[in-house]
Amino acid sequence: MGSVSLDDISVTPLKRIAVSGGDVLHVMKHSEDGFAGFGEAYFSQVVSGAVKAWKRHRQMTLNLVVPIGEVHFIFIDSTGSIREEKIGDGNYARLTVPPSIWFGFKGVSKSISLLLNIADIEHMPDEVERKELCDIKYDWSAI
């Protein structure tokens, strides 16, 4: 894979269908552009005000959806450029993130948010790089 930029992150608006007794929230179809294969899917809880950062996948393409709550994402490419996206209750969408981009996120709703990742490969410990929160300078208090 060649050089990856923040422009390679795609935002796909998703359908929320009102149904008596509880809404149906669309996530992904095999036929959509963001689908790059299936390796695993998992949920991560994000406590209000909690920051989970920093990681970068070498091979994995992420498809991130927040069906409950709101999460603010920070993405950083190899040039140090920053891109911010907030998804969840106020902006129901899927973020498709290619490998090689550093990212972190913060829960910004009043209660716990739920984050879903549909990844194209299974988790492999040696495939992901991690840094401590203080290793990349970013002012999380501004969010």
Side-chain angles (χ1 to χ4, degrees), residues 40-60:
E40 70 176 14
Y42 64 85
F43 288 102
S44 179
Q45 292 181 327
V46 188
V47 174
S48 179
V51 175
K52 294 185 176 185
W54 296 100
K55 72 164 69 169
R56 173 172 65 181
H57 289 279
R58 293 183 178 108
Q59 300 170 16
M60 183 184 288

